[in-house]
Amino acid sequence: MRIAIIGRTEILYDTTVALRSLGHEIVCILTANSAPEYSRTSVDFQTLAKKLEIPFAEGAPIGNHFEFLNSAKADIAVSINYTGVISQNVIDLFPLGILNAHGGDLPRYRGNACQAWAILNGEKRIGLCIHRMVGGELDSGDILAKSYLPIDNTTKVSAVWDWMVRATPALMVESVNRLAADPGYVLERQSKDQKDALRCYPRRPEDGRINWDRTALDVLRLINASNKPYAGAYCEYEGRRMTIWDAALLEDGEVFYAVPGQVTRVAQGHVEVACGSGKLIIRKVQRDGDVESAPSLYISSIRKRLT
């Protein structure tokens, strides 16, 4: 099939390469400014377009590129993480529509930062869906393929992202191939009942601020949900920002009184910290521009507190 590529991220880049390697014709690439956490930039997409000898464009909104996409005469478009909502008149340029890869268990977990919200909410698994886009709507439309990653309280968002990078290209290829064989193929029609959907809104770096009054489990989930490639969960220690990259629940059976954030033990390679309920083992931290290290490099006494 003739395929237009719309969006950003290394996931879309790898998907483009996979589709091309399996005989599909990539006819144009439209991208936008990349976010800091992406390992593939607009320059990478431009270089790929040059290698494939196909038209390339960059920028948003997508309406500014209507003629660019129309002139490509693609059968279908594949879109991942393009900036802004795509209108129906753009989708209608493609006889088989536009496919989107979404890291959420549709129809729940629509929107932004779905993997982080799933970790924060203590879900048991995270979904990855390939679905047809509907103009002016967010993550709706028929689902063509779906996969799941089991998660628990040790799962960091970085592991979820790595899984999506690995899993998405094959899932997208599967969906495109199914449509090539049967243009009417549908795995699952999404419910249109509002009560079945869960809308997730964007998270910002400052949302990673740790409140030690919360339970140890809540703090651990925040650390995991804010992890790389994002800015990280953080607190203050002796007037300087400290980002916590690795932690675990501590179940030592101790009955204790402590102000939340109190350091309760300093050991070689880690420290233990009291929360509003329970304790955490803190294993890896980073202060300002320093490299990652064991917190015991900075914290030497149980008279210290994280705030």
Side-chain angles (χ1 to χ4, degrees), residues 9 19 53 83 89-90 126 131 142 154 172 233 244 294:
T9 75
L19 287 166
E53 298 181 335
T83 54
N89 68 324
V90 172
I126 288 177
H131 68 98
D142 295 338
T154 69
M172 187 65 80
I244 299 176

Side-chain angles (χ1 to χ4, degrees), residues 76-148:
I76 193 170
V78 167
S79 177
I80 299 175
N81 208 252
Y82 186 75
T83 54
V85 177
I86 297 177
S87 58
Q88 189 62 45
N89 68 324
V90 172
I91 295 173
D92 290 341
L93 291 174
F94 310 100
L96 292 176
I98 301 180
L99 301 188
N100 178 56
H102 176 70
D105 188 10
L106 296 176
R108 292 178 58 78
Y109 286 95
R110 290 177 175 170
N112 306 91
C114 295
Q115 304 86 41
W117 285 116
I119 290 172
L120 289 167
N121 291 338
E123 298 286 1
K124 301 301 182 185
R125 63 182 187 175
I126 288 177
L128 172 61
C129 297
I130 308 298
H131 68 98
R132 292 182 187 266
M133 300 185 77
V134 176
E137 298 183 12
L138 198 63
D139 301 323
S140 60
D142 295 338
I143 297 169
L144 303 180
K146 182 181 283 193
S147 183
Y148 289 101

Side-chain angles (χ1 to χ4, degrees), residues 9-112:
T9 75
E10 54 269 37
I11 297 175
L12 181 60
Y13 186 97
D14 292 347
T15 298
T16 304
V17 172
L19 287 166
R20 169 65 184 241
S21 69
L22 292 173
H24 295 288
E25 184 181 359
I26 308 302
V27 295
C28 70
I29 295 176
L30 170 61
T31 189
N33 291 335
S34 57
E37 61 267 21
Y38 301 154
S39 63
R40 291 289 187 179
T41 68
S42 58
V43 174
D44 293 306
F45 281 99
Q46 185 175 24
T47 301
L48 179 60
K50 186 176 181 180
K51 178 181 177 181
L52 299 178
E53 298 181 335
I54 59 174
F56 170 83
E58 178 182 359
I62 199 167
N64 293 346
H65 304 281
F66 186 89
E67 288 305 322
F68 171 83
L69 295 171
N70 186 40
S71 64
K73 304 302 179 187
D75 300 310
I76 193 170
V78 167
S79 177
I80 299 175
N81 208 252
Y82 186 75
T83 54
V85 177
I86 297 177
S87 58
Q88 189 62 45
N89 68 324
V90 172
I91 295 173
D92 290 341
L93 291 174
F94 310 100
L96 292 176
I98 301 180
L99 301 188
N100 178 56
H102 176 70
D105 188 10
L106 296 176
R108 292 178 58 78
Y109 286 95
R110 290 177 175 170
N112 306 91

Side-chain angles (χ1 to χ4, degrees), residues 146-193:
K146 182 181 283 193
S147 183
Y148 289 101
L149 175 71
I151 64 172
D152 57 28
N153 292 325
T154 69
T155 305
K156 296 182 175 68
V157 72
S158 47
V160 180
W161 181 258
D162 289 344
W163 168 69
M164 289 176 58
V165 169
R166 294 191 307 271
T168 301
L171 210 60
M172 187 65 80
V173 167
E174 175 188 328
S175 300
V176 170
N177 287 344
R178 285 188 180 277
L179 289 177
D182 176 10
Y185 174 78
V186 175
L187 174 68
E188 177 185 335
R189 297 195 186 279
Q190 288 200 60
S191 170
K192 297 187 181 300
D193 192 328

